[in-house]
């Protein structure tokens, strides 16, 4: 059945960053609400330089340890990963990041040390064997969706770039030169859903709330085979569940069974939507797929025995 359908090339790695200058502590800078956008911008631009595209590699999360800034990376194309590895190996990525950090933070110099890991493999020890590095990264599948904070920083950076582009084009028009449409980035496609306060179900008004671990477990236990249909209803407003994510989950957790497949699907929704992963968004998806009894269970209108 799967003949002729090639799975997407997806891999993950961790980039460890440390400044060798005692006065520049990257984790502290990133944890500062004022400096965080500047550090993020430098990371984003340097990674774009390394792959030749703003979308060549995705940052899923930035962890702060005592000394290191640890960036979890996701690659969706082998060629982008290869370009990244070449840039890393040749020192171009480090140079680019140093330059962007200096500009963003208005510092004279930011000396950096870098380390690249995929799982338990230290890739710095095998950089000359590019295919082996690619294999290690491909073997490590991302264990999370993009962190909500990263999405917010991305949106902020896009808004800033759009604002700068509009200003630049405005200046160009004043000087007699036509604006360049290619320099205007596309507006964000992110969900603009703001959590509603209440919602109506079966003629009754309910207070909206974030999905709880208890909701999560009940959903996974009771949704059964219809988890995919619910996922497709949720995907209308959730980028993280867009095709082929749901089919990939079905394959990846096939051995674990329906509970785990359903659990992982809702986990993707909760992780990607953060505070916007509310009961008011799940209930209509359940109704749409004839799962009224499960909706009632989650809203406390019936007991477990009634649903089984």
């Amino acid at each position: 059945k799967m003949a002729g359908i090639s799975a997407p090339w997806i891999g993950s790695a961790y980039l460890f960053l440390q400044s060798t200058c005692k006065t520049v502590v990257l984790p502290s800078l990133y944890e500062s609400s004022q400096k965080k956008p500047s550090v993020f911008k430098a990371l984003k631009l340097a990674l774009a330089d390394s792959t030749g595209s703003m979308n060549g590699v995705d940052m899923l999360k930035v962890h702060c340890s005592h000394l290191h800034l640890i960036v979890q990376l996701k690659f969706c194309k082998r060629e982008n990963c290869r370009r990244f590895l070449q840039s890393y190996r040749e020192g171009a990525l480090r140079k680019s990041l140093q330059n962007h950090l200096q500009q963003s933070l208005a510092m004279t110099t930011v000396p950096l040390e870098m380390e690249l890991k995929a799982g338990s493999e230290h890739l710095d020890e095998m950089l000359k064997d590019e295919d082996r590095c690619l294999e290690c990264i491909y073997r490590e599948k991302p264990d999370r969706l993009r962190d909500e904070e990263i999405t917010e920083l991305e949106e902020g950076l896009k808004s800033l770039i759009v604002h700068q582009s509009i200003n630049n084009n405005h200046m160009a028009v004043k000087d007699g030169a036509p604006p360049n449409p290619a320099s205007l980035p596309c507006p964000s496609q992110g969900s603009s859903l703001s959590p509603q306060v209440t919602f109506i179900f079966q003629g009754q008004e309910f207070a909206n709330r974030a999905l709880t671990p208890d909701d999560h477990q009940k959903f996974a236990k009771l949704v059964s085979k219809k988890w995919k249909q619910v996922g497709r209803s949720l995907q209308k407003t959730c980028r993280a569940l867009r095709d082929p994510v749901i089919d990939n989950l079905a394959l990846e957790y096939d051995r674990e069974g329906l509970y785990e497949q359903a659990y992982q699907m809702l986990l993707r929704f909760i992780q990607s939507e953060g505070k916007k992963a509310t009961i008011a968004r799940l209930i209509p998806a359940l109704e749409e797929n004839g799962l009224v009894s499960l909706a009632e269970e989650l809203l406390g209108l019936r007991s477990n025995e009634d649903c089984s």
Side-chain angles (χ1 to χ4, degrees):
K1 283 183 181 178
M2 300 300 289
I5 301 175
S6 57
W9 196 97
I10 294 175
S12 179
Y14 285 90
L15 181 63
F16 289 73
L17 304 168
Q18 182 182 359
S19 168
T20 53
C21 175
K22 287 183 179 178
T23 57
V24 182
V25 184
L26 289 177
S28 298
L29 288 171
Y30 192 79
E31 286 176 333
S32 157
S33 56
Q34 290 179 314
K35 300 288 186 185
K36 182 175 288 187
S38 299
V39 178
F40 179 80
K41 179 184 175 184
L43 285 167
K44 184 74 180 170
L45 294 176
L47 289 169
D49 289 345
S50 75
T51 60
S53 164
M54 285 297 274
N55 302 314
V57 54
D58 195 14
M59 280 189 275
L60 298 183
K61 186 171 177 65
V62 178
H63 306 264
C64 294
S65 72
H66 175 55
L67 294 173
H68 294 93
L69 208 58
I70 308 163
V71 188
Q72 187 174 4
L73 303 173
K74 175 187 173 184
F75 299 91
C76 288
K77 288 185 180 174
R78 183 186 177 93
E79 196 48 47
N80 287 337
C81 190
R82 190 183 292 279
R83 286 197 197 108
F84 168 85
L85 284 169
Q86 288 169 350
S87 176
Y88 181 86
R89 184 177 65 237
E90 292 162 7
L93 174 63
R94 179 167 58 184
K95 192 173 181 181
S96 172
L97 183 53
Q98 284 175 325
N99 290 339
H100 286 303
L101 283 169
Q102 282 165 219
Q103 289 171 19
S104 294
L105 297 167
M107 292 182 171
T108 50
T109 180
V110 184
L112 285 177
E113 277 186 1
M114 289 185 165
E115 197 178 344
L116 191 62
K117 293 180 183 177
S120 59
E121 300 287 355
H122 292 249
L123 302 186
D124 297 76
E125 298 166 5
M126 57 177 90
L127 286 173
K128 289 180 181 177
D129 191 344
E130 196 172 271
D131 287 335
R132 190 179 165 203
C133 288
L134 284 165
E135 188 183 317
C136 291
I137 291 171
Y138 178 67
R139 210 164 46 222
E140 287 300 313
K141 301 302 181 196
D143 60 354
R144 60 158 47 243
L145 294 170
R146 185 194 289 181
D147 195 67
E148 189 179 20
E149 182 181 65
I150 296 287
T151 302
E152 288 173 7
L153 288 164
E154 289 257 7
E155 301 300 340
L157 182 57
K158 282 179 190 171
S159 300
L160 180 67
I161 292 170
V162 170
H163 183 67
Q164 287 173 343
S165 298
I166 291 169
N167 283 349
N168 291 344
N169 283 322
H170 181 62
M171 293 300 291
V173 171
K174 278 176 70 179
D175 295 339
N180 176 12
S183 68
L184 285 168
C186 296
S188 162
Q189 299 296 311
S191 168
S192 58
L193 286 168
S194 55
Q196 59 206 81
V197 180
T198 62
F199 66 99
I200 304 295
F201 173 71
Q202 293 182 341
Q204 285 182 254
E205 190 174 13
F206 290 87
N208 192 17
R209 57 175 174 76
L211 292 172
T212 66
D214 190 46
D215 295 330
H216 197 166
Q217 289 180 349
K218 283 179 182 175
F219 172 83
K221 181 182 175 186
L222 301 170
V223 71
S224 191
K225 292 178 182 177
K226 285 195 173 180
W227 71 268
K228 288 173 86 171
Q229 285 140 278
V230 176
R232 292 201 170 94
S233 294
L234 290 171
Q235 76 178 190
K236 294 168 191 171
T237 58
C238 176
R239 281 187 300 182
L241 292 177
R242 297 277 163 88
D243 293 333
V245 172
I246 291 170
D247 288 332
N248 288 347
L249 284 172
L251 288 170
E252 192 176 343
Y253 295 96
D254 182 46
R255 286 185 182 178
E256 284 86 349
L258 292 172
Y259 176 93
E260 192 61 30
Q261 290 170 331
Y263 188 90
Q264 291 296 329
M265 185 278 289
L266 198 61
L267 181 63
R268 297 288 193 281
F269 177 69
I270 292 168
Q271 286 181 333
S272 69
E273 298 297 300
K275 293 172 186 172
K276 295 174 186 172
T278 61
I279 195 78
R281 288 175 71 186
L282 180 58
I283 294 299
L286 297 175
E287 278 190 284
E288 194 176 305
N289 293 289
L291 292 161
V292 174
S293 60
L294 175 48
E296 290 173 345
E297 162 69 16
L298 294 179
L299 294 171
L301 299 177
R302 58 163 58 206
S303 64
N304 247 330
E305 288 74 26
D306 297 332
C307 280
S308 54

